[in-house]
């Protein structure tokens, strides 16, 4: 919930600073996929390091739902957007003696600008959006162990910064006082190293000493609405 309020405040602030003749406020629900190859390999190493325990992969940084909101400067064919994504990895094992659970919760916060190019001269229903953006990522790595009545739990927090480029096709259809919109596209992100939140001089490494990086590259889909004014 804090993520919604924070991103909403950014968009509201930006929209108040614009002097455009016309604009649109928009909101979208998204379903996105992600690469995160480095994190997947790191989780697999973690699993292999526990070779004596038949721990299983429950989640491997799958696609997930998110949301986007923003403000479009209609007369300039430019929109400012912010979005939120989340995914994660999980290893787990349980039997009569206890439970082991290792989770990597990943959250991504995006702020960017998109330029819209109409794809038809007769109507404005379809447009091509070319975007550039920056991302801030947080990851919470948590270990949970329960053996009989004994419970042990600890966690580490990491963060990273990413830059990205993307393209999508956007469809809009006006209904009454609002506009229905749907989109599909692809974002390419450049992975950022995961550094410790408490000390950015240290970063997460795999067994070969390579930096573990985030990579939000993947398919982007959305459906939502816009309110022109």
């Amino acid at each position: 919930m804090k993520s919604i309020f924070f991103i909403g405040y950014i968009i509201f602030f930006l929209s108040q600073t614009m002097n455009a003749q016309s604009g649109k406020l928009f909101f979208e629900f998204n379903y996105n996929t992600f690469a995160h190859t480095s994190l997947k390999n790191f989780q697999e190493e973690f699993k292999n390091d526990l070779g004596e325990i038949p721990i299983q992969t429950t989640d491997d940084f799958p696609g997930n739902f998110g949301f986007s909101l923003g403000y479009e400067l209609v007369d300039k064919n430019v929109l400012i957007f912010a979005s939120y994504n989340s995914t994660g990895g999980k290893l787990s094992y349980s039997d009569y003696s206890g439970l082991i659970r290792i989770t990597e919760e990943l959250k991504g916060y995006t702020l960017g600008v998109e330029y819209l190019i109409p794809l038809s001269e007769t109507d404005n229903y379809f447009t091509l959006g070319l975007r550039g953006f920056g991302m801030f990522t947080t990851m919470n790595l948590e270990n949970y162990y329960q053996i009989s009545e004994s419970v042990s739990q600890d966690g580490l927090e990491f963060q990273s910064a990413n830059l990205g480029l993307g393209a999508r096709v956007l469809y809009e259809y006006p209904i009454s006082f609002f506009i229905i919109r749907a989109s599909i596209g692809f974002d390419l992100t450049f992975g950022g190293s995961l550094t410790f939140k408490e000390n950015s001089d240290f970063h997460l490494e795999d067994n070969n000493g390579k930096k573990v990086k985030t990579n939000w590259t993947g398919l982007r889909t959305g459906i939502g609405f816009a309110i022109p004014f």
Side-chain angles (χ1 to χ4, degrees), residues 10-31:
I10 291 176
I11 296 300
F12 176 78
F13 174 78
L14 290 172
S15 67
Q16 294 303 304
T17 64
M18 300 299 174
N19 295 315
Q21 296 300 314
S22 60
K24 300 176 189 175
L25 288 174
F26 66 87
F27 180 87
E28 293 179 355
F29 288 104
N30 307 118
Y31 180 79

Side-chain angles (χ1 to χ4, degrees), residues 158-173:
F158 302 87
Q159 58 190 24
S160 73
N162 306 73
L163 295 175
L165 300 171
R168 65 172 180 161
V169 175
L170 173 66
Y171 174 80
E172 293 188 321
Y173 189 81

Side-chain angles (χ1 to χ4, degrees), residues 4 8 12 33 44 57 88 113 119 127 135 138 164 209-210 212 217 223:
I4 297 176
F12 176 78
T33 65
E44 189 64 22
T57 301
V113 177
L119 294 179
T127 56
M135 295 187 69
T138 64
K210 295 182 179 179
V212 177
T217 294
I223 186 168

Side-chain angles (χ1 to χ4, degrees), residues 40-77:
K40 291 179 180 181
N41 292 338
F42 175 76
Q43 181 172 255
E44 189 64 22
E45 285 186 351
F46 215 135
K47 179 180 177 180
N48 293 335
D49 289 342
L50 300 172
E52 297 181 357
I53 303 173
I55 196 166
Q56 299 297 315
T57 301
T58 306
D59 286 316
D60 194 20
F61 302 94
N64 198 13
F65 293 96
F67 66 87
S68 300
L69 60 151
Y71 178 80
E72 180 180 341
L73 299 164
V74 175
D75 57 338
K76 297 184 182 300
N77 292 330

